[in-house]
Amino acid sequence: MKKIGLLALIALSVLFAVAAARVYLRYRHDMSVARERVQAGGQIIQTSSGPIEYATVGEGYPVLVVHGAGGGYDQGLLLSQFVGDEFRLIAPSRFGYVNTPVPADASPAAQADAYADLLDALKIQRVAVVGISAGGPSALQLAVRHPDRASALVMLSAVSHTDPPMSLMQKIVWNVMFRSDFAYWLIATGFESNLMSIFGVPPEVVAELSPAEKDWIPQFLQSMHPISLRQTGIFNDIRNGSTLDYRFERITAPTLVIHAVDDSLVEFSHGQYTAQNVPGARLIQLESGGHILMGQHEKVTSEVQEFLRRHIQAEVE
């Protein structure tokens, strides 16, 4: 009996080792692919604010797409689906994301000034601005500090006010998940539904998605690989989150705010706050969709495109 038990233990150990090796090899492969993708897609331009990574695609009126936490220029391009392909999309990596370094002053105001310097380097005078999630503060600051550069402003599930400090559990989750490439990869690969809940999308919303939007989820989650190229920016966003303050009355750009009531990551109060304080802002309140507006992509895209066409047409004329 002892020999049988020992053999069973050895067999289980071998199976575990083989399974662990397969997981590790898949992780190494996925990270290699992700690093190659990220390093190949952006370019660095020298500006008065220092080097900034960005990508640009398409032609037409320029639209600056400002990504959220965990992003980079690549997430900006992915989420530019809400803007459409009739514009010239400019997607920078914010401070601390991918290949854009963190300066001494990495506040949303300084980031907005860096956007203006990026536009100078690209010889672009005015853009429409789309701020997404944690990209909201610097998008707002661009409209506040450089009103001559922002012809229209769109805020999608975007941060606009200070939140209470993170709970101990939230700190543990964020520090575990965003401090390790392997930890984030493992959660994104094996616990997708749990990760979507962390990202503010209720399970009941995910359950009702169309096949196309369900297929989009892993694409979005994988866009944050490798997390080590984004963690400096993530924690910079968290530090800045306790000091958000704006002069909303200075915003002259026509403003559209879209936010879901069931967003548990950036609460609906952020959308309400922007709409109540930016002169003339319009709020589209979605009853479901969570933080990533799941199940609402067609509606959001239609609203954003119609808004931009209307105000950009007025700009051109």
Side-chain angles (χ1 to χ4, degrees), residues 242-265:
S242 61
T243 58
L244 300 181
D245 186 28
Y246 315 96
R247 298 292 301 275
F248 285 103
E249 72 277 6
R250 294 185 177 179
I251 296 178
T252 57
T255 300
L256 174 67
V257 182
I258 302 180
H259 217 115
V261 174
D262 62 350
D263 184 344
S264 58
L265 185 61

Side-chain angles (χ1 to χ4, degrees), residues 90-281:
I90 303 163
S93 295
R94 295 192 289 111
F95 291 153
Y97 286 97
V98 194
N99 291 310
T100 297
V102 178
D105 180 1
S107 65
Q111 179 70 85
D113 293 344
Y115 297 149
D117 289 337
L118 171 63
L119 296 180
D120 286 341
L122 295 175
K123 298 182 174 9
I124 296 172
Q125 180 56 37
R126 284 168 68 80
V127 293
V129 184
V130 178
I132 303 166
S133 188
S138 56
L140 284 168
Q141 287 283 26
L142 180 62
V144 169
R145 297 169 67 83
H146 303 276
D148 57 321
R149 312 306 293 266
S151 58
L153 174 64
V154 177
M155 297 282 280
L156 300 178
S157 304
V159 173
S160 67
H161 65 67
T162 300
D163 277 328
M166 295 174 67
S167 68
L168 177 60
M169 182 55 65
Q170 287 174 318
K171 289 180 180 178
I172 291 172
V173 170
W174 283 71
N175 276 282
V176 168
M177 187 166 59
F178 293 134
R179 293 289 189 187
S180 163
D181 284 343
F182 181 74
Y184 177 76
W185 173 87
L186 186 63
I187 295 169
T189 303
F191 303 92
E192 183 180 284
S193 59
N194 302 83
L195 188 53
M196 290 300 288
S197 294
I198 292 172
F199 286 163
V201 183
E204 57 271 21
V205 171
V206 176
E208 297 297 323
L209 294 178
S210 68
E213 284 204 323
K214 284 184 178 178
D215 290 342
W216 185 85
I217 291 175
Q219 185 181 0
F220 171 75
L221 297 180
Q222 291 164 18
S223 75
M224 288 189 262
H225 292 323
I227 207 68
S228 58
L229 292 180
R230 310 168 198 274
Q231 62 187 207
T232 302
I234 291 171
F235 290 97
N236 181 60
D237 286 343
I238 292 173
R239 285 190 296 272
N240 283 316
S242 61
T243 58
L244 300 181
D245 186 28
Y246 315 96
R247 298 292 301 275
F248 285 103
E249 72 277 6
R250 294 185 177 179
I251 296 178
T252 57
T255 300
L256 174 67
V257 182
I258 302 180
H259 217 115
V261 174
D262 62 350
D263 184 344
S264 58
L265 185 61
V266 177
E267 294 185 354
F268 181 63
S269 62
H270 288 266
Q272 291 177 306
Y273 188 75
T274 304
Q276 290 166 359
N277 288 280
V278 174

Side-chain angles (χ1 to χ4, degrees), residues 4-35:
I4 294 174
L6 180 60
L7 289 172
L9 181 60
I10 292 173
L12 287 173
S13 298
V14 170
L15 288 173
F16 176 80
V18 170
R22 287 179 175 175
V23 168
Y24 182 70
L25 288 174
R26 181 182 172 188
Y27 159 71
R28 289 291 300 270
H29 172 267
D30 288 355
M31 288 303 99
S32 177
V33 170
R35 286 183 180 277

